[in-house]
Amino acid sequence: MTPLLKVENVSKYYGNRLGCRDVSFELYPGEVLGIVGESGSGKSTLLNCLAGHLEPDTGEVVFDTRANGPKDTVTMSEPERRMLSRTDWAFVHQNPRDGLRMSVSAGGNVGERLMAVGARHYGNIRSTAIDWLDKVEINEDRTDDRPSEFSGGMQQRLQIARNLVTGPRLIFMDEPTGGLDVSVQARLLDLLRGLVRELGLSAIVVTHDLAVVRLLADRLMVMKDGHVIETGLTDQVLDDPQHGYTQLLVSSVLQV
Amino acid sequence: MINIKNVSKNFTLHNQNSVEIPVMENANLTVKPGECVGLTGASGAGKSTLMRMVYGNYLTQAGRIMVGDLDIVTALPRQILELRRETLGYVSQFLRVVPRVPTLDVVSEPMLAVGVSRDAAHERARELLTKLRIPERLWQLSPLTFSGGEQQRVNIARGFAHEYPAMLLDEPTASLDVANRETVLSLIEDAKARGAAIIGIFHDEAARARVCDREIDVSTYTPKVV
């Protein structure tokens, strides 16, 4: 089986400061990879390098494209990369405001992604949008409301619908449940798990919440000071951590 | 089906002066299809540790653990994930699920993961929940709100939902009443009859005597502290 994403020796510096260094891994179709670490550990930098938002200083990010097989997204042309991020990729931001157009209706937010890949029939776009709003449990009668009138949890679910409507194969998530009530968080986790299973999506989830990765991720990568210090099966890394920092991280979690 | 050979394990605690705690030395065990082997030994001897090593939940420092054709010790994460999905089931003492997901879906999940249709999965989940005496009015509720014994039984239903060729059972009959204990033991016997290789931990001696074909005392593998 060809990996969907193959990352080799990706490094990113901000001037003299280290963002992340020598990160390599493979992600296979249907896999969910969690990246944990404290703030400043380089996990968001890495995610942005993978998703084409930042250009890594060194390294390759090879994505298995539908048309042409594995291609390095770092060296591909800007239009090609933009096409990928509109079709095969999705990016769920921590703050829904970064991923939504706040002054366009909920239905319009979902429809825009469809139009970006060529859909033109208004009726079809609207019905697909309503279908997806239903999948993320947003009532049809809110289709014409603006996301600025939505609660934080609804905005986050709308962002997920907007991202998934074009049937991406890889979804990048930056703290997808950060800043949400635990009750909303649980519903979102269940939604994401169901979508991953039913649509066979692969996902890379950056978070600092160990409970979230335990429920969502198959594999885990632990970062500290820009380096990957430990990788493995999620439950194995959490239950039998090998690196001192991971042991500290796991033993510092508060029990409810 | 399961073959454990010269397996050793130690824990290194980096934040406590890097203490090394050896917990397992030269463990050996073979389980054939249709056979159930009971692990015995005092609390802390390493019964659950050995089981978790077989499941890939704990890393193994030395030796070989074959489940089918896969060596757990050297396998890649995705190979272990596939093995867990298709071949190797594990019923732990604790239920770990996404909050607010209905019991029926919790039990159906392992079947959906191997491609069983939603209707067929729900059908089998209903059958198991009925067998294990979980009242039907609770099926649409999250098991996290249930009593300890009910959670345990939901966990068992989930563990037996897909017919794994190899199973690990960590105290499946603990804290169950007589009737439910009987149901669980018959589920284990059914699994053996269809050819599943089982490793079990039972504190209940009568249960162990009934379903286990052999017993292995894990304390013989506990390293001697000098």
Side-chain angles (χ1 to χ4, degrees):
Chain A
M1 194 162 48
T2 322
L4 186 65
L5 191 72
K6 189 161 181 247
V7 177
E8 255 179 295
N9 298 317
V10 164
S11 301
K12 172 77 187 168
Y13 289 85
Y14 298 105
N16 288 326
R17 272 176 217 283
L18 175 63
C20 62
R21 194 166 134 191
D22 283 341
V23 180
S24 303
F25 68 89
E26 288 175 355
L27 186 76
Y28 284 82
E31 264 185 345
V32 179
L33 173 75
I35 305 178
V36 297
E38 58 200 3
S39 40
S41 58
K43 51 192 189 329
S44 292
T45 297
L46 175 63
L47 192 71
N48 283 312
C49 285
L50 302 181
H53 297 175
L54 283 173
E55 193 184 335
D57 295 326
T58 63
E60 287 184 357
V61 180
V62 179
F63 181 76
D64 185 18
T65 59
R66 275 184 233 227
N68 302 315
K71 276 195 93 169
D72 184 7
T73 63
V74 178
T75 53
M76 74 171 45
S77 68
E78 187 62 32
E80 266 183 294
R81 197 160 49 230
R82 280 182 58 83
M83 195 59 201
L84 268 186
S85 66
R86 282 204 297 261
T87 54
D88 271 351
W89 292 355
F91 197 103
V92 176
H93 295 265
Q94 175 174 9
N95 188 341
R97 283 161 193 281
D98 296 335
L100 292 174
R101 292 192 194 280
M102 299 305 284
S103 54
V104 174
S105 71
N109 263 287
V110 180
E112 189 192 11
R113 281 269 295 197
L114 286 171
M115 289 189 280
V117 293
R120 289 293 177 268
H121 186 287
Y122 177 80
N124 291 348
I125 294 173
R126 188 172 170 89
S127 66
T128 311
I130 289 173
D131 192 39
W132 268 94
L133 290 178
D134 180 58
K135 277 201 180 105
V136 297
E137 301 172 20
I138 294 175
N139 211 318
E140 189 179 336
D141 64 14
R142 303 300 300 268
T143 309
D144 298 315
D145 292 347
R146 278 179 241 163
S148 52
E149 296 158 24
F150 286 3
S151 69
M154 278 175 80
Q155 288 177 355
Q156 194 59 294
R157 279 180 275 140
L158 177 60
Q159 194 192 180
I160 289 171
R162 173 181 160 95
N163 269 290
L164 294 184
V165 68
T166 49
R169 293 188 296 153
L170 174 59
I171 169 162
F172 300 100
M173 293 188 256
D174 193 358
E175 303 273 5
T177 60
L180 296 180
D181 284 337
V182 282
S183 55
V184 179
Q185 184 176 319
R187 177 122 128 236
L188 198 66
L189 283 177
D190 182 40
L191 173 74
L192 287 172
R193 260 168 76 118
L195 290 172
V196 165
R197 189 184 55 226
E198 277 154 32
L199 307 174
L201 297 175
S202 304
I204 301 179
V205 185
V206 161
T207 179
H208 61 262
D209 189 334
L210 297 183
V212 167
V213 286
R214 191 189 273 278
L215 292 174
L216 205 56
D218 305 311
R219 282 164 51 208
L220 194 59
M221 203 154 93
V222 184
M223 291 188 73
K224 182 171 167 43
D225 301 330
H227 296 264
V228 174
I229 54 167
E230 187 163 353
T231 59
L233 278 175
T234 303
D235 59 298
Q236 180 262 304
V237 173
L238 294 178
D239 292 339
D240 186 16
Q242 304 295 309
H243 192 279
Y245 174 72
T246 319
Q247 293 185 353
L248 184 69
L249 202 66
V250 170
S251 62
S252 305
V253 174
L254 301 174
Q255 301 282 322
V256 183
Chain B
M1 184 70 204
I2 304 175
N3 186 0
I4 302 175
K5 210 164 165 65
N6 297 326
V7 153
S8 303
K9 160 104 196 135
N10 34 28
F11 288 110
T12 310
L13 306 178
H14 292 287
N15 296 304
Q16 289 168 36
N17 305 320
S18 299
V19 196
E20 279 224 13
I21 306 174
V23 288
M24 187 79 56
E25 213 171 68
N26 283 321
N28 288 289
L29 172 64
T30 305
V31 190
K32 292 196 285 284
E35 189 181 32
C36 176
V37 176
L39 303 181
T40 62
S43 181
K47 302 184 291 295
S48 293
T49 299
L50 183 60
M51 202 171 258
R52 283 165 169 241
M53 285 158 69
V54 175
Y55 198 58
N57 180 232
Y58 282 178
L59 290 181
T60 302
Q61 265 77 32
R64 221 173 54 156
I65 302 176
M66 301 297 295
V67 178
D69 300 327
L70 189 68
D71 181 3
I72 303 288
V73 179
T74 55
L76 296 169
R78 77 192 151 83
Q79 293 175 311
I80 296 183
L81 287 170
E82 191 190 333
L83 185 85
R84 288 179 180 183
R85 203 162 45 233
E86 310 275 344
T87 313
L88 182 63
Y90 176 44
V91 177
S92 73
Q93 300 170 61
F94 310 101
L95 182 69
R96 207 166 231 152
V97 295
V98 179
R100 301 177 61 194
V101 176
T103 299
L104 200 62
D105 292 335
V106 166
V107 176
S108 304
E109 202 188 358
M111 295 180 278
L112 298 178
V114 291
V116 175
S117 75
R118 185 166 289 271
D119 288 344
H122 277 176
E123 178 71 35
R124 167 103 175 123
R126 277 192 208 101
E127 184 192 316
L128 279 163
L129 288 168
T130 311
K131 235 185 206 173
L132 287 157
R133 297 179 186 79
I134 304 284
E136 189 169 349
R137 63 194 155 81
L138 300 181
W139 294 356
Q140 291 307 321
L141 306 177
S142 163
L144 294 178
T145 57
F146 292 3
S147 76
E150 284 167 343
Q151 290 198 5
Q152 166 99 355
R153 278 178 277 145
V154 171
N155 215 8
I156 289 165
R158 184 181 156 92
F160 281 87
H162 170 56
E163 298 192 337
Y164 299 101
M167 296 190 77
L168 308 168
L169 309 174
D170 195 342
E171 300 214 38
T173 55
S175 73
L176 294 184
D177 59 38
V178 181
N180 284 314
R181 176 174 163 276
E182 188 55 38
T183 308
V184 174
L185 291 178
S186 71
L187 279 174
I188 298 173
E189 284 167 343
D190 291 350
K192 281 172 66 181
R194 67 171 163 79
I198 300 175
I199 300 180
I201 299 173
F202 301 90
H203 277 298
D204 171 358
E205 265 175 53
R208 200 193 305 153
R210 185 167 141 195
V211 294
C212 294
D213 303 295
R214 279 187 295 133
E215 289 179 15
I216 296 275
D217 187 352
V218 176
S219 49
T220 51
Y221 304 134
T222 315
K224 305 291 167 282
V225 182
V226 193

